[in-house]
Amino acid sequence: MWALGFVPLVIMYYIYHSQKVKKLENKIKRIEQKEKGNTDMSRLLKELIGKKPTILGQVFRTDNWEVVDMDEDWVKLRRVDKKGKEKFKLQRIEDIQTIQFDGE
C-alpha cells in the first residue's frame, strides 16, 4: 500500500528534475557558443549589414542576398526577385562556414 503513494512522488521528482536538466543544458549551450566564437562571428557580420556577401554553409549557399539584420544567433537576409517581390530568409550563425565579400 505504501508503494502506491511512493510511485507518484517518484514521478513528480523525475518531472521536476528533468525540467531543471533542460534549463542547465540551455545554459551550457549558450556558454559553449560564446567560447566557440559565435559572438565574434556576429560582430563581424554586423559590419556586413546592407551589403551582399556570399555565405557558404554546410548544405546551403546564398548569392545576392543582402544582410538586413542580425542578433547573436540569427542573420536576416533579403533578396528582391525579378518580379520585384521581396524575399526574406533567416539563417543560423552557427551553420555558416565561410563568407565571401568582394568589397562593393
Side-chain angles (χ1 to χ4, degrees):
M1 189 69 168
W2 65 270
L4 292 176
F6 185 69
V7 172
L9 289 175
V10 170
I11 292 171
M12 288 177 20
Y13 179 81
Y14 173 75
I15 291 171
Y16 174 74
H17 284 288
S18 65
Q19 291 173 350
K20 283 186 112 178
V21 168
K22 284 186 180 185
K23 287 180 183 178
L24 289 173
E25 285 175 347
N26 288 336
K27 285 182 181 180
I28 290 171
K29 182 180 177 184
R30 276 187 254 128
I31 291 170
E32 286 175 346
Q33 284 178 345
K34 287 181 181 179
E35 288 180 4
K36 191 175 167 183
N38 281 347
T39 55
D40 290 335
M41 175 71 91
S42 63
R43 182 182 56 82
L44 294 171
L45 282 171
K46 283 183 182 179
E47 297 174 6
L48 295 177
I49 291 177
K51 300 186 170 116
K52 295 183 179 181
T54 300
I55 300 173
L56 301 170
Q58 294 176 353
V59 293
F60 68 91
R61 178 184 174 123
T62 60
D63 287 331
N64 297 321
W65 287 81
E66 178 185 357
V67 178
V68 178
D69 195 12
M70 58 162 310
D71 63 9
E72 297 162 353
D73 296 323
W74 295 89
V75 177
K76 182 178 181 181
L77 304 169
R78 178 179 71 100
R79 182 175 80 179
V80 179
D81 64 6
K82 294 177 182 178
K83 297 178 183 177
K85 186 176 179 182
E86 284 186 325
K87 294 185 179 185
F88 291 94
K89 178 193 263 190
L90 294 175
Q91 184 64 50
R92 290 193 65 83
I93 290 176
E94 64 188 30
D95 295 336
I96 295 174
Q97 290 184 337
T98 61
I99 298 174
Q100 298 174 351
F101 182 65
D102 60 6
E104 292 179 6

